[in-house]
């Protein structure tokens, strides 16, 4: 199918939009997402476009039925860094102009830092920590979140090797008792093998599912290297006017 037909499809099926009107609307959407020669591009097939242009077309398709909520699942995967930045800026611009909400599903914490207001950290299909962007990046409480932040590339780190979380993700076909992250968690407690931790409230907007937050648990501090990294992030944010 041409990209024009793919953009028009939702409008025709959901709203019974006449083909001529759907065509004009699709051309306008291509212009909105920054594709030049929109009329000509309507007749192109996906293989005739670059990766960045295909991603823009997908965003146009998603916008074709005027959603209140845009769900972007790994919107920057397989794109080079320059194109990634352009796609992120495009989504932010569309979000602002249309007044819509956006949910990003991504493993790229660099993208999260640029776009998010609130963050849910997930492991084995469940939310293990949630909070505002500043709470997650500056005051993480779950060991998995510690691992994710520690694994981010950082030019100022003392270690030349990139940190990796030990072990492998669990097989979700075989559910185990207790905390799914326990086998990979060097801070795991005995109870982690027996019972799944509840969400412990840290602030009104911040909570985490780890037994380390139970008042009876021994006090465990985040790794020292991560503390230093967070301090560096804070200083860098101050230079950028408080933005991550």
């Amino acid at each position: 199918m041409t990209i024009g037909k793919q953009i028009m499809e939702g409008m025709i099926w959901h709203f019974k939009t006449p083909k001529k009107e759907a065509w004009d609307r699709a051309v306008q959407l291509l212009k909105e997402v920054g594709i030049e020669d929109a009329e000509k591009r309507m007749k192109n097939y996906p293989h005739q476009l670059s990766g960045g242009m295909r991603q823009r077309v997908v965003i146009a398709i998603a916008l074709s039925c005027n959603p209140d909520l845009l769900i972007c699942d790994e919107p920057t995967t397989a794109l080079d860094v320059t194109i990634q930045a352009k796609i992120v800026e495009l989504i932010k611009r569309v979000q602002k102009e249309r007044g819509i909400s956006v949910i990003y599903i991504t493993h790229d914490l660099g993208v999260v830092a640029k776009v998010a207001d609130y963050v849910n950290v997930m492991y084995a299909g469940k939310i293990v920590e949630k909070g505002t962007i500043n709470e997650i990046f500056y005051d993480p409480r779950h060991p998995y979140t510690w691992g994710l932040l520690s694994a981010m590339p950082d030019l100022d780190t003392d270690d030349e090797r990139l940190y990796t979380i030990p072990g492998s993700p669990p097989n979700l076909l075989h559910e185990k008792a207790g905390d799914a992250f326990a086998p990979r968690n060097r801070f795991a407690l005995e109870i982690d093998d027996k019972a799944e931790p509840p969400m412990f409230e840290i602030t009104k907007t911040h909570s985490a599912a780890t037994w380390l937050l139970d008042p009876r648990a021994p006090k465990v501090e985040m790794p020292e290297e991560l503390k230093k990294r967070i301090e560096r992030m804070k200083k860098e944010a101050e230079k950028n006017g408080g933005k991550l």
Side-chain angles (χ1 to χ4, degrees), residues 94-119:
V94 168
Q95 178 185 11
K96 187 175 181 180
E97 290 175 352
R98 289 173 169 250
I100 61 177
S101 297
V102 179
I103 293 177
Y104 287 84
I105 303 168
T106 181
H107 67 279
D108 189 335
L109 290 179
V111 171
V112 173
K114 289 185 179 74
V115 301
D117 296 311
Y118 299 94
V119 181

Side-chain angles (χ1 to χ4, degrees), residues 26-96:
V27 170
Q28 185 56 42
L29 281 167
L30 286 180
K31 291 178 180 177
E32 190 176 335
V33 297
I35 291 184
E36 298 176 358
D37 299 325
E39 286 272 2
K40 177 184 173 184
R41 292 297 184 186
M42 286 282 287
K43 298 175 183 178
N44 283 162
Y45 290 87
H47 71 271
Q48 295 175 295
L49 305 179
S50 67
M53 289 180 74
R54 284 198 294 266
Q55 199 74 317
R56 289 172 186 268
V57 171
V58 170
I59 295 169
I61 293 171
L63 296 174
S64 64
C65 291
N66 298 316
D68 294 318
L69 173 66
L70 195 60
I71 301 176
C72 299
D73 190 349
E74 297 289 5
T76 59
T77 298
L79 301 175
D80 68 56
V81 178
T82 306
I83 303 300
Q84 280 184 14
K86 289 181 179 178
I87 294 298
V88 168
E89 285 305 313
L90 169 62
I91 296 171
K92 287 171 69 176
R93 176 174 61 77
V94 168
Q95 178 185 11
K96 187 175 181 180

Side-chain angles (χ1 to χ4, degrees), residues 142-144 166 179 181-189 192 210 212:
H142 197 284
Y144 179 58
D179 184 356
F181 187 59
R184 308 177 70 188
N185 180 10
R186 63 188 174 102
F187 304 103
L189 306 172
D192 280 306
T210 170
L212 294 176

